[in-house]
Amino acid sequence: MKDHLIIEENLTPDDVNDIYYLIDQFGNWVDGSISYSGTKDIKKNLQIQFVDQFAYQKLSDVVYNRMDTHLDFHNFTVPKNSNKPLITRTPKGGYYKPHHDVAACGDFSTTIFLNDDCEGGELCLWYNDEEIKIKPKAGKSITYKTGTPHRVNTVTKGHRDAVVFWTFSLITDPFDMFMYQGLQEVVDRLQLVSHETLDDAQRDPAFIVNTLKESLLRKATR
């Protein structure tokens, strides 16, 4: 069961081109330390500040319109809302040392890679008591539980660009989330079908499990 992280293909090449157009035309790269108030020198990177809020909203639309089409993301996070995305660049010699995102950010953290032609720059996560290094193709994302210890490997050639955002979930209790994701996996494997009558539906295991899943969601969101 996908209870720790998911990797998906989110942005198309056209989406990535649109994002770079908005960055080039309406954004300024600034010191990335402005978004972190913790340990000094924990990261060496840049982030975009938009001079045009319409352009920033357009970029957000590109990202979230695509995320809205991915059931894995929705089933994994059960999203209530996500904040506006942050665009980061880790230049040659840049890094992000071990840290964890604070709870105030949200319940899930997502990184979408905008390029894959740099050397280094892997996203390193503490997963199942070991460090795993992830560097997918441009347009792919990784979503994991906020609070998971992670870092970014030093970039040794080129630069690493990424979209980062955080999502608040409708389900905040870990056990409820575990049960919801498990029930969703059962529904996916059984496959819902349409029925002519309610009596027929009540005899279908997939319909019964889906009813339990939705009841759990209603309980969790009261």
Side-chain angles (χ1 to χ4, degrees), residues 19-171:
I19 288 174
Y20 273 119
Y21 172 81
L22 293 168
I23 289 173
D24 293 340
Q25 295 297 315
F26 304 104
N28 294 320
W29 291 106
V30 298
D31 187 346
S33 63
I34 65 172
S35 63
Y36 190 82
S37 58
T39 307
K40 185 179 180 181
D41 297 330
I42 195 171
K43 66 174 179 173
K44 181 181 178 182
N45 68 353
L46 304 170
Q47 68 185 56
I48 279 289
Q49 279 191 342
F50 279 95
V51 296
D52 185 320
Q53 289 305 304
F54 176 80
Y56 191 15
Q57 183 60 54
K58 176 63 176 176
L59 185 146
S60 296
D61 291 343
V62 171
V63 173
Y64 291 129
N65 287 345
R66 193 63 66 185
M67 297 301 297
D68 284 344
T69 66
H70 286 75
L71 288 179
D72 279 352
F73 175 80
H74 282 262
N75 291 337
F76 183 66
T77 65
V78 195
K80 179 180 181 181
N81 58 66
S82 298
N83 57 12
K84 282 192 173 182
L86 180 70
I87 311 299
T88 70
R89 169 168 289 178
T90 308
K92 181 179 179 181
Y95 54 81
Y96 208 145
K97 294 180 180 178
H99 68 287
H100 49 76
D101 299 335
V102 298
C105 287
D107 300 302
F108 293 91
S109 306
T110 298
T111 298
I112 306 177
F113 287 72
L114 292 178
N115 70 315
D116 52 31
D117 55 354
C118 68
E119 294 184 6
E122 295 89 352
L123 176 61
C124 305
L125 295 172
W126 190 250
Y127 180 67
N128 287 340
D129 293 326
E130 65 176 332
E131 182 177 276
I132 61 170
K133 297 179 180 180
I134 302 170
K135 188 180 177 183
K137 294 293 185 181
K140 284 195 172 185
S141 70
I142 174 169
T143 299
Y144 54 93
K145 292 181 179 179
T146 299
T148 302
H150 60 285
R151 66 183 183 88
V152 175
N153 250 352
T154 300
V155 174
T156 57
K157 183 179 179 181
H159 60 261
R160 170 196 189 266
D161 293 342
V163 178
V164 180
F165 65 88
W166 292 266
T167 301
F168 286 92
S169 178
L170 287 168
I171 302 177

Side-chain angles (χ1 to χ4, degrees), residues 170-185:
L170 287 168
I171 302 177
T172 57
D173 182 86
F175 180 76
D176 285 348
M177 178 62 84
F178 175 79
M179 293 297 294
Y180 180 90
Q181 291 176 339
L183 291 170
Q184 181 62 58
E185 185 169 333

Side-chain angles (χ1 to χ4, degrees), residues 11-19 62 66:
L11 302 181
T12 67
D14 285 342
D15 293 332
V16 173
N17 288 337
D18 288 343
I19 288 174
V62 171
R66 193 63 66 185

